Amino acid sequence: MSTQESAEMTQTKDTESREDTPRCLSGQTESYSSRDLTQDELDKLKTERVLVSEFKQLKLEKEAQKNWDLFYKRNTTNFFKDRHWTTREFEELKACREFESQKLVLLEAGCGVGNCLFPLLEDDLNIFVYACDFSPRAVEFVKQNPLYCPERCCAFQCDLTKEDLSDNVPEGSVDVVTLIFVLSAVHPEKMKMALENINKVLKPGGIVLFRDYGLNDHAMLRFKAGSKLGENFYVRQDGTRSYFFSKERLAQLFEEAGFVSVVNDYVLRETVNKKEGICVQRVFLQSKFTKPTVTQPS
Ligand SMILES: C[S@@+](CC[C@H](N)C(=O)[O-])C[C@H]1O[C@@H](n2cnc3c(N)ncnc32)[C@H](O)[C@@H]1O
């Protein structure tokens, strides 16, 4: 791996692996607006005018699945930390039961190697989890995990932007969908398709629990010249891409796909990048959207 590549990995690692801190510790706040940028940061964003060529952009889109699969070939199951905060942060996972003994059906969309899925299976004995990812390697890692058992989970390969989830998950059968750092990896023009696909398998009244990169996150400011694909959309050295959401854009996307917003807030955190000895400002969006029980008039 080149130094540049490894720096990018650190960037992603910083972004996603240090999220096990409980909510509302000092340094983490829920916020109505994203963070303010410094003048240097504003200047940096202003100078980013040149976009990656259309040819390269098409290639990245065509090779999106391959690039994520290679990511898992390189990193196996060692990259992201288990996300033990999920039940803490999304109390719905427990609270959305109508009665205590109700078995919840979950879909973990874009499950990776199961860093969210397995802590959930360990925490809650009364859930069944469907888990999908478009990387065949990631799905295989999920199936090889000692906690994987077909009575409690079903992992399958699926490109959320192309393949019908309902080929593997009965329509209208899922209580809760988790979408954790996945939509940001999808091309902005295909995000609505992915959400409509999810909507189809969700029960009316069911919810989507969402966490992903927010606008002006430190990771967005770190991209070097030549990485910009479009408005708030960048490519990493390894060919994987990342979009940074404003809450307005996210709400619009979900609403266009037939959901209603329940919660949609920025989470602002200061984290220390030990390697560089600096304090960095992280911005995430943490949101909940529901599928209405009756069709909303458009
Ligand atoms: C940053 S990882 C997050 C993985 C997991 N949700 C977690 O929290 O650890 C993003 C995941 O999204 C998957 N992904 C990206 N685009 C996808 C698509 N169109 N369909 C299905 N999975 C996709 C990637 O393969 C990758 O595993």
Side-chain angles (χ1 to χ4, degrees):
M1 191 194 297
S2 70
T3 323
Q4 222 176 355
E5 227 176 342
S6 132
E8 282 293 323
M9 288 300 183
T10 314
Q11 171 190 315
T12 318
K13 230 172 185 167
D14 281 345
T15 304
E16 288 152 2
S17 66
R18 293 189 189 169
E19 287 193 84
D20 292 332
T21 322
R23 179 177 233 179
C24 294
L25 281 184
S26 60
Q28 170 162 320
T29 45
E30 284 161 48
S31 169
Y32 187 73
S33 57
S34 183
R35 73 182 179 96
D36 292 330
L37 296 177
T38 63
Q39 192 56 49
D40 277 358
E41 289 171 332
L42 285 168
D43 292 345
K44 180 181 183 291
L45 288 182
K46 254 190 238 158
T47 56
E48 282 178 349
R49 291 213 184 86
V50 183
L51 300 185
V52 169
S53 72
E54 206 182 316
F55 176 79
K56 192 165 172 214
Q57 296 226 22
L58 286 172
K59 190 165 185 285
L60 285 169
E61 177 57 18
K62 221 167 117 188
E63 296 180 350
Q65 181 187 20
K66 186 181 93 183
N67 288 333
W68 270 107
D69 206 52
L70 289 173
F71 172 92
Y72 289 114
K73 184 178 182 190
R74 276 192 305 274
N75 296 293
T76 66
T77 54
N78 301 320
F79 195 79
F80 303 114
K81 266 196 196 165
D82 275 355
R83 302 188 190 282
H84 285 286
W85 45 261
T86 323
T87 25
R88 211 164 42 215
E89 298 269 342
F90 293 127
E91 68 279 6
E92 278 78 0
L93 284 178
K94 293 214 161 90
C96 66
R97 286 187 168 87
E98 281 166 46
F99 49 97
E100 217 178 309
S101 61
Q102 185 186 352
K103 194 177 189 93
L104 279 188
V105 178
L106 258 81
L107 165 66
E108 160 101 61
C111 60
V113 295
N115 295 93
C116 206
L117 156 78
F118 292 113
L120 287 177
L121 282 171
E122 270 180 314
D123 272 12
D124 191 333
L125 298 176
N126 209 11
I127 53 174
F128 182 90
V129 187
Y130 291 100
C132 71
D133 201 284
F134 71 173
S135 154
R137 267 196 187 86
V139 173
E140 210 33 57
F141 280 127
V142 168
K143 288 186 175 170
Q144 281 166 13
N145 189 302
L147 288 170
Y148 185 87
C149 65
E151 294 77 40
R152 299 194 63 208
C153 36
C154 166
F156 60 96
Q157 194 194 334
C158 172
D159 183 335
L160 294 166
T161 67
K162 282 191 199 142
E163 292 153 309
D164 252 342
L165 279 167
S166 59
D167 291 346
N168 287 282
V169 184
E171 277 187 35
S173 68
V174 174
D175 296 290
V176 183
V177 175
T178 50
L179 195 58
I180 313 289
F181 292 103
V182 174
L183 202 60
S184 56
V186 171
H187 191 286
E189 283 173 16
K190 298 192 174 171
M191 288 176 183
K192 187 179 165 214
M193 264 185 276
L195 294 180
E196 284 170 345
N197 201 358
I198 287 171
N199 190 305
K200 223 167 149 186
V201 295
L202 196 61
K203 268 183 193 163
I207 54 169
V208 179
L209 305 179
F210 176 94
R211 182 158 166 128
D212 216 322
Y213 301 109
L215 189 67
N216 298 339
D217 176 44
H218 169 72
M220 174 172 159
L221 277 303
R222 271 181 60 134
F223 280 104
K224 303 226 163 57
S227 317
K228 188 164 177 170
L229 299 169
E231 190 71 14
N232 308 329
F233 192 39
Y234 297 83
V235 60
R236 300 187 187 94
Q237 291 289 318
D238 64 3
T240 62
R241 297 163 299 171
S242 186
Y243 186 84
F244 295 82
F245 292 95
S246 70
K247 54 189 263 182
E248 292 78 12
R249 178 73 195 119
L250 188 74
Q252 184 192 9
L253 264 171
F254 268 90
E255 281 158 23
E256 282 173 7
F259 293 90
V260 172
S261 294
V262 181
V263 178
N264 187 23
D265 280 323
Y266 293 103
V267 173
L268 308 183
R269 285 184 51 198
E270 284 190 355
T271 62
V272 177
N273 183 326
K274 284 189 190 143
K275 214 168 150 194
E276 295 178 28
I278 50 165
C279 187
V280 298
Q281 311 287 325
R282 306 312 314 262
V283 182
F284 305 108
L285 256 186
Q286 188 158 306
S287 315
K288 291 167 201 167
F289 299 93
T290 186
K291 173 173 173 173
T293 38
V294 283
T295 314
Q296 303 280 299
S298 53

